[in-house]
């Protein structure tokens, strides 16, 4: 008997294992598994391209009134911003990733975000940002600064988080900030009027970035744009 009931899923499969087993292992290679000597480059690729791009999309999307990831990702400005972040800032911080076509991988990510059959929510991507941003995005900023390269788009993602954490979108609708550190995060975001770097003073989240003039200038510019011209116009400026 053949069960022909359809199972809906994404058209992607990626399983990478470090081939350093203490004893005999199953024949994973028969299951389209990529066995590698060092899994770290693949982990960094996923954290800094896939997961950090989630953060690059979600705050702007929520501010603009989007509630589904697929709807936000098909907007040309959002897609262009994500690709620029991945190409110009995240990719230069990666180690060589054997067997992976990074250009194809990045295009595939944006296609996945835009998949009309997946009802992933913007709110889910925004959740627990105080855990996500320090792990996925701050290392990109630190590496770019150390190399003397631009991290303006990454700084803008941090500014986007701040604007989101103020608790109201651009349509005047309240934002339910779901974060284990919700209250200090929102308090730090609200402190912008008195101290434009109030959010960055959280060294547990941002380390010493508040002391980095290059980062602070890029962050200040993005946050000022968000407050004065809004998310869409900010994207236009950042991509100019």
């Amino acid at each position: 008997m053949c069960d022909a009931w359809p199972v809906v899923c994404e058209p992607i499969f990626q399983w990478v294992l470090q081939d350093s087993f203490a004893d005999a292992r199953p024949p994973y290679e028969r299951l389209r598994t990529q066995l590698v000597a060092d899994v770290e480059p693949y982990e960094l690729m996923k954290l800094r391209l896939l997961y950090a791009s989630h953060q690059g999309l979600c705050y702007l999307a929520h501010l603009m009134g989007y509630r589904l990831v697929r709807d936000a990702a098909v907007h040309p400005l959002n897609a262009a911003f994500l690709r620029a972040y991945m190409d110009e800032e995240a990719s230069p911080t990666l180690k060589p990733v054997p067997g992976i076509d990074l250009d194809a991988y990045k295009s595939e990510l944006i296609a996945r975000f835009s998949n009309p059959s997946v009802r992933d929510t913007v709110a889910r991507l925004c959740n627990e940002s105080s855990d996500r941003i320090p792990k996925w995005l701050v290392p990109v900023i630190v590496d770019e600064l150390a190399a003397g390269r631009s991290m303006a788009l990454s700084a803008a993602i941090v500014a986007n988080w701040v604007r989101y954490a103020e608790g109201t979108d651009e349509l005047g609708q309240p934002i339910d900030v779901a974060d284990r550190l919700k209250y200090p995060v929102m308090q730090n975001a609200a402190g912008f009027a008195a101290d434009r770097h109030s959010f960055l003073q959280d060294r547990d989240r941002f380390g010493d970035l508040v002391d980095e003039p290059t980062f602070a200038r890029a962050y200040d510019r993005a946050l000022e744009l968000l407050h004065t011209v809004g998310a869409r116009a900010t994207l236009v400026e950042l991509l100019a």
Side-chain angles (χ1 to χ4, degrees):
M1 180 177 178
C2 177
D3 183 356
W5 192 262
V7 176
V8 179
C9 64
E10 287 192 273
I12 182 173
F13 178 91
Q14 185 181 36
W15 194 14
V16 182
L17 290 178
Q18 186 161 306
D19 196 2
S20 58
F21 295 85
D23 205 341
R25 61 166 176 79
Y28 290 118
E29 60 273 15
R30 298 181 188 175
L31 301 174
R32 295 166 53 202
T33 303
Q34 190 173 356
L35 292 158
V36 300
D38 182 7
V39 78
E40 184 184 19
Y42 302 86
E43 181 181 24
L44 291 177
M45 176 186 74
K46 189 170 185 177
L47 295 177
R48 299 184 180 191
L49 294 180
L50 170 58
Y51 291 160
S53 290
H54 279 164
Q55 311 315 117
L57 176 64
C58 65
Y59 311 117
L60 286 168
H62 206 299
L63 291 171
M64 290 189 288
Y66 291 105
R67 296 300 176 259
L68 293 179
V69 174
R70 67 189 188 189
D71 296 334
V74 297
H75 192 293
L77 283 175
N78 288 331
F81 178 78
L82 292 182
R83 187 60 191 243
Y85 158 74
M86 288 191 276
D87 285 345
E88 298 170 17
E89 299 186 11
S91 292
T93 73
L94 301 180
K95 299 178 180 180
V97 194
I100 300 293
D101 181 337
L102 279 181
D103 282 338
Y105 181 81
K106 289 181 282 191
S107 296
E108 183 179 65
L109 289 181
I110 294 176
R112 288 177 64 190
F113 299 163
S114 309
N115 189 332
S117 298
V118 177
R119 292 183 57 84
D120 197 6
T121 65
V122 170
R124 184 189 72 82
L125 301 188
C126 292
N127 290 350
E128 302 303 335
S129 298
S130 62
D131 285 333
R132 295 176 173 186
I133 291 288
K135 295 175 184 175
W136 304 342
L137 184 68
V138 169
V140 173
I141 296 170
V142 170
D143 284 358
E144 287 291 88
L145 285 170
R149 295 187 296 256
S150 173
M151 38 74 256
L153 301 179
S154 299
I157 296 174
V158 177
N160 297 340
W161 177 24
V162 178
R163 175 63 187 85
Y164 164 88
E166 291 174 4
T168 306
D169 70 17
E170 292 186 352
L171 302 178
Q173 298 300 309
I175 296 173
D176 181 15
V177 177
D179 195 296
R180 66 184 181 85
L181 298 178
K182 173 178 179 175
Y183 297 108
V185 162
M186 295 189 73
Q187 183 177 30
N188 289 342
F192 170 80
D195 175 5
R196 63 182 178 175
H197 294 158
S198 59
F199 205 80
L200 303 180
Q201 300 293 347
D202 182 356
R203 294 181 185 268
D204 288 337
R205 245 48 57 196
F206 298 110
D208 296 329
L209 287 182
V210 68
D211 302 323
E212 294 283 352
T214 303
F215 170 78
R217 282 193 298 269
Y219 167 88
D220 289 345
R221 175 176 180 252
L223 192 51
E224 182 67 23
L225 286 168
L226 288 165
H227 282 133
T228 55
V229 299
R232 284 183 177 84
T234 295
L235 283 174
V236 172
E237 289 291 325
L238 291 171
L239 294 169

